[in-house]
Amino acid sequence: MLQIGGLASGLDTQNLIDQLMQVEAQPLNLWKKQQEQLQEKATAWKDIQGRLSSLQSRVNDLTDLTLFRARIASSTNEQVVSAAASTGATAVTLDVVVDRLATVHRLAGLHASDPTAALNQTGTVTVTVGGVSKSLDITATDSLTAVRDKLNGLGLNLRAALVNQTLVIEGTQTGSSQRITVSDNSGGQLLQALGLRKDLTRVAGVTTASWRSATSLSSQTEAAAVLDSNPTTYWEGNPNDRLDVRLGGSRYVDQLTFDTASSGASFTYHVEYLPAGAQANDPAAWVKTATATAVAGSQTITVDLGGQLVQEVRVVIDSGTAQVSELAVHGEETLQAPGDAQVRVNGLTVTASTNQLTGISDGLTLNLSGLGQAQVSVKTNVDQIVSRVKAFVDQYNSTFGLMQDKSGKQAVLQGDISLMQLMTNLRFKTTGPAEGVLPAGQASTLAQIGVQIDRSGVMSLDETKLRQMLADNPDQVRLLLQANAGTDGFTGVAQRLSDFLQRTLDPVSGLTVTSQNAIQSRVDDLDKQMEAFQKRLDQRREELVRQFTALEQVINTLQSQSNWLAGQLKQLGGGTAK
């Protein structure tokens, strides 16, 4: 619309219209202020909803059924054994003595001055670990390094390395069933070339050998010295005499061989060996082979011991007289034998293939790390329960404190009936007694376990009292918090509070949502009202513009007429003067 602003009247019509519209728009400003106040209320309710949601999480931590089934395991000597307990593990105290750790099998092979040089050996070696066998083909150009790499490529539970230019093969899993065995297709010659079969001891010349009951020699020292210095000297054994060899540790022994002198007569004998871990002074510990007969004259006698793990071996003469000029024990150079762990738990002996023991007690895992003794305990994780109660107390104070701030004097939600009702219900659901039929003597309020609220609404925790209740009556504390009416006959305080918060925070019908929705509805109504009113204001402005424009036009017309009349009168006056 064309607007002529005071050209004729000299009035600032635009300013007059603006001032008139300001007066007319006063209701609109009032509604905008009301909207701002409503938005503040909506924001306050949203903040309260957030705090209640956090409180709900802390309450749900208390109703979590795994809370009182959580266990913590401890050991008085973690250098010997450490422990871990899963949820629901049986509370128990165990005296644990670790007699033996589970070990991997470790054996030594060939030592080479140049591990990259060709060994000039051919054949096939069968390697078995834990009952799984693989074939290893050796070619003439293979070096000790190549043998190592081929062993590592078999895909068995082993690893091979060169340690100080010596081949060392080691299992990757512990336990007596994880023994590494090797055989070849050349009667043992390839194994000897690879150092996987050796003379573990040979008399003369091996300092680990000792002799017992040598009737033709005065002492063990003299026996070793004579045979070492003069191979033609022989040991003469009569019935019940023993020729004993200590291996300096436990070794896997395949064979024992001994040579008889040419002048010897026939005799009978048997071989005995002492298994690893057995006591030499225990006659029942020695394993005996069948009695055999040796013919007269020079010969080499071989006794198969089947790869047994042996720490000592001896030849025993049963009848006749034996003249032994040389004795050798053949087998694997065992650096460490595979073995099972052995522990005594409250006096009961338990063995396992690994150093991690399960099944000793429900939910308990023992991790063995050394020999010795320790006491292992599994208890309820009281610290976790106390920590969750503390977190609940802190969040309650944060939530209730915010409600007090928002509902206080001149606060944004002062006088909000919904908020006042929410605060009353929240406090009652927290401090009121558990609802239903409680067993005799059952704690019924949080105050009985150390949680109280003062007159100002601040919650506090007496941790000492709570810990004492958990020590004396843990099930009472559990029921006070978690009891379910369907199974326990009454509803626990935390469960009741959880149900209340779930209803309050329901995304459709919860109080916090409906309160915000009601506020938003009022904001939307005001938007519509303001929009309609703004249209009327726009129309009123247009009307004022038309009126003032018409006024200007009238004044302009009058001024034009006035000017014309003035001109006519001036002309008339001029004509009379002449």
Side-chain angles (χ1 to χ4, degrees):
M1 175 181 289
L2 176 64
Q3 180 178 348
I4 303 173
L7 295 177
S9 65
L11 298 174
D12 187 354
T13 56
Q14 182 62 46
N15 185 48
L16 286 173
I17 292 173
D18 289 342
Q19 291 180 10
L20 289 171
M21 291 307 300
Q22 286 179 0
V23 174
E24 299 248 4
Q26 284 183 357
L28 188 64
N29 296 331
L30 179 61
W31 293 333
K32 286 182 179 179
K33 186 174 182 180
Q34 289 178 353
Q35 271 193 330
E36 292 174 357
Q37 292 173 343
L38 288 171
Q39 293 290 0
E40 289 179 0
K41 289 184 178 182
T43 300
W45 269 109
K46 188 172 183 179
D47 291 342
I48 291 171
Q49 182 182 28
R51 296 289 177 92
L52 286 171
S53 180
S54 297
L55 179 62
Q56 183 183 39
S57 295
R58 301 292 78 76
V59 172
N60 289 343
D61 287 342
L62 297 179
T63 59
D64 181 1
L65 296 180
T66 66
L67 176 60
F68 285 84
R69 299 180 68 239
R71 301 290 184 261
I72 186 169
S74 61
S75 169
T76 58
N77 189 350
E78 293 205 345
Q79 293 183 340
V80 172
V81 57
S82 59
S86 61
T87 298
T90 302
V92 68
T93 298
L94 303 173
D95 291 320
V96 179
V97 179
V98 181
D99 295 319
R100 186 174 64 238
L101 293 175
T103 53
V104 298
H105 191 187
R106 187 180 299 121
L107 62 143
L110 181 67
H111 174 83
S113 58
D114 181 4
T116 63
L119 297 175
N120 296 315
Q121 299 292 327
T122 60
T124 300
V125 175
T126 300
V127 184
T128 303
V129 184
V132 180
S133 299
K134 294 288 183 70
S135 295
L136 177 67
D137 293 326
I138 305 297
T139 64
T141 58
D142 283 341
S143 64
L144 195 59
T145 300
V147 172
R148 175 202 63 189
D149 295 340
K150 287 185 174 182
L151 283 167
N152 286 328
L154 289 176
L156 295 171
N157 292 328
L158 63 77
R159 53 176 167 257
L162 294 180
V163 180
N164 193 28
Q165 299 176 319
T166 299
L167 178 65
V168 176
I169 306 173
E170 180 180 77
T172 57
Q173 295 185 0
T174 59
S176 58
S177 65
Q178 295 300 309
R179 179 186 172 186
I180 302 169
T181 61
V182 290
S183 60
D184 63 23
N185 61 350
S186 60
Q189 293 181 6
L190 181 56
L191 294 182
Q192 288 186 348
L194 296 175
L196 299 176
R197 280 294 177 269
K198 300 179 179 180
D199 289 346
L200 299 179
T201 183
R202 180 178 290 275
V203 178
V206 179
T207 58
T208 56
S210 63
W211 303 81
R212 294 179 177 174
S213 303
T215 56
S216 63
L217 300 171
S218 60
S219 67
Q220 296 176 23
T221 303
E222 183 179 355
V226 170
L227 290 176
D228 286 351
S229 60
N230 186 356
T232 61
T233 305
Y234 54 82
W235 170 80
E236 185 173 278
N238 295 308
N240 297 321
D241 284 346
R242 304 193 309 266
L243 184 57
D244 189 285
V245 178
R246 297 173 184 170
L247 302 178
S250 297
R251 302 285 188 271
Y252 283 105
V253 175
D254 293 321
Q255 293 177 332
L256 178 145
T257 61
F258 60 93
D259 296 342
T260 60
S262 60
S263 58
S266 64
F267 61 94
T268 61
Y269 67 94
H270 70 271
V271 172
E272 300 177 355
Y273 64 85
L274 183 65
Q279 299 297 318
N281 58 4
D282 179 7
W286 289 83
V287 179
K288 301 178 181 180
T289 64
T291 298
T293 300
V295 298
S298 177
Q299 60 189 306
T300 297
I301 297 174
T302 300
V303 179
D304 187 6
L305 296 181
Q308 297 297 319
L309 187 60
V310 173
Q311 57 181 319
E312 198 167 341
V313 63
R314 64 193 181 195
V315 177
V316 181
I317 306 304
D318 295 315
S319 65
T321 299
Q323 295 176 339
V324 178
S325 59
E326 184 172 288
L327 181 144
V329 179
H330 312 281
E332 162 199 303
E333 186 176 348
T334 309
L335 302 179
Q336 178 176 273
D340 296 331
Q342 179 175 300
V343 299
R344 285 171 285 156
V345 181
N346 286 356
L348 178 66
T349 298
V350 178
T351 59
S353 61
T354 73
N355 290 315
Q356 185 178 80
L357 278 63
T358 57
I360 299 296
S361 180
D362 289 343
L364 175 65
T365 299
L366 298 180
N367 296 297
L368 311 181
S369 54
L371 304 183
Q373 61 185 25
Q375 188 174 79
V376 173
S377 298
V378 179
K379 298 178 180 179
T380 298
N381 194 344
V382 172
D383 289 340
Q384 182 177 348
I385 298 172
V386 173
S387 176
R388 291 194 181 184
V389 173
K390 283 182 177 179
F392 162 71
V393 170
D394 291 342
Q395 188 58 49
Y396 178 91
N397 287 333
S398 173
T399 304
F400 201 80
L402 177 65
M403 292 180 178
Q404 288 177 319
D405 291 342
K406 298 300 183 182
S407 63
K409 188 176 182 180
Q410 296 183 344
V412 64
L413 294 179
Q414 181 184 5
D416 189 307
I417 295 176
S418 295
L419 179 57
M420 300 302 294
Q421 184 179 6
L422 174 60
M423 294 173 67
T424 299
N425 288 338
L426 178 61
R427 183 161 181 169
F428 173 76
K429 298 293 184 183
T430 304
T431 60
E435 301 172 2
V437 181
L438 279 67
Q442 169 65 44
S444 60
T445 66
L446 292 182
Q448 291 176 271
I449 64 171
V451 179
Q452 299 189 54
I453 298 178
D454 62 20
R455 292 183 177 180
S456 62
V458 177
M459 181 180 286
S460 61
L461 170 64
D462 184 342
E463 185 175 337
T464 301
K465 187 173 184 178
L466 175 59
R467 287 185 178 276
Q468 190 62 51
M469 281 292 293
L470 288 170
D472 296 341
N473 298 293
D475 205 48
Q476 277 206 26
V477 179
R478 179 187 66 80
L479 288 172
L480 174 62
L481 296 175
Q482 300 182 345
N484 182 285
T487 56
D488 302 307
F490 70 100
T491 302
V493 174
Q495 185 60 54
R496 177 181 63 192
L497 185 55
S498 177
D499 296 340
F500 168 71
L501 290 172
Q502 184 174 0
R503 293 192 301 270
T504 302
L505 295 169
D506 186 279
V508 177
S509 60
L511 177 62
T512 56
V513 171
T514 56
S515 296
Q516 293 177 70
N517 290 343
I519 293 172
Q520 187 60 47
S521 179
R522 292 172 61 188
V523 171
D524 293 342
D525 288 343
L526 284 173
D527 277 337
K528 294 177 182 178
Q529 192 172 349
M530 290 166 63
E531 182 180 358
F533 190 74
Q534 184 63 54
K535 289 181 179 180
R536 292 197 297 271
L537 287 178
D538 293 341
Q539 292 172 356
R540 177 58 177 160
R541 176 179 284 277
E542 291 177 358
E543 182 181 351
L544 288 173
V545 168
R546 284 195 301 268
Q547 289 176 349
F548 274 99
T549 299
L551 175 62
E552 290 294 328
Q553 290 174 344
V554 170
I555 293 175
N556 184 57
T557 300
L558 291 174
Q559 286 179 344
S560 297
Q561 291 176 353
S562 176
N563 291 336
W564 180 82
L565 287 173
Q568 293 298 317
L569 290 173
K570 185 175 180 182
Q571 289 180 1
L572 289 174
T576 302
K578 292 181 177 179

